[in-house]
């Protein structure tokens, strides 16, 4: 089946990138903490690289990502149209 239009995609608990983000937000990846489908709005938390996967993983050498600890970075609200899920 063809992909659902943006307005019909569920962004709950997804990692996303955000389009047209000002440079004051240095993070590349964001976690959708809350998604309001009828308003097409997301509350997102920034993620940071933290370590690498080990040699026994098929992801060997790739970065592990985690949420930035509370209080160290700003959570933001953005339109769901600006969010692109990471595969």
């Amino acid at each position: 089946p063809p992909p659902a239009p943006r307005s019909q995609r569920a962004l709950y608990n997804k990692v996303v990138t955000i389009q047209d983000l000002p440079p004051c937000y240095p993070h590349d990846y964001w976690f959708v903490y809350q998604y309001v489908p009828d308003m097409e709005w997301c509350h997102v938390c920034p993620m940071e690289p933290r370590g690498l996967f080990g040699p026994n993983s098929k992801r060997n050498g790739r970065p592990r990502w985690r949420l930035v600890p509370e209080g160290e970075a700003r959570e933001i609200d953005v339109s769901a149209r600006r969010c692109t899920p990471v595969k």
Side-chain angles (χ1 to χ4, degrees), residues 63-74:
R64 289 179 173 263
W65 292 85
R66 71 167 195 166
L67 292 175
V68 173
E70 190 172 357
E72 290 186 15
R74 184 176 277 186

Side-chain angles (χ1 to χ4, degrees), residues 3 6 11 37 63 73 82:
R6 282 184 188 253
L11 293 174
R82 292 176 54 198

Side-chain angles (χ1 to χ4, degrees), residues 30-31 33 45-48 65-70:
W30 300 77
F31 178 77
Y33 181 69
C45 305
M47 298 183 75
E48 65 182 0
W65 292 85
R66 71 167 195 166
L67 292 175
V68 173
E70 190 172 357

Side-chain angles (χ1 to χ4, degrees), residues 48-87:
E48 65 182 0
R50 187 62 152 204
L52 300 173
F53 283 97
N56 296 330
S57 171
K58 65 181 179 180
R59 296 176 180 94
N60 181 23
R62 293 175 59 190
R64 289 179 173 263
W65 292 85
R66 71 167 195 166
L67 292 175
V68 173
E70 190 172 357
E72 290 186 15
R74 184 176 277 186
E75 299 172 5
I76 59 174
D77 294 315
V78 297
S79 168
R81 293 175 188 252
R82 292 176 54 198
C83 296
T84 303
V86 174
K87 292 185 180 189

Side-chain angles (χ1 to χ4, degrees), residues 11-28:
L11 293 174
Y12 301 102
N13 296 326
K14 300 280 185 182
V15 175
V16 298
T17 58
I18 301 175
Q19 299 171 10
D20 302 322
L21 201 58
C24 62
Y25 298 106
H27 305 283
D28 295 325

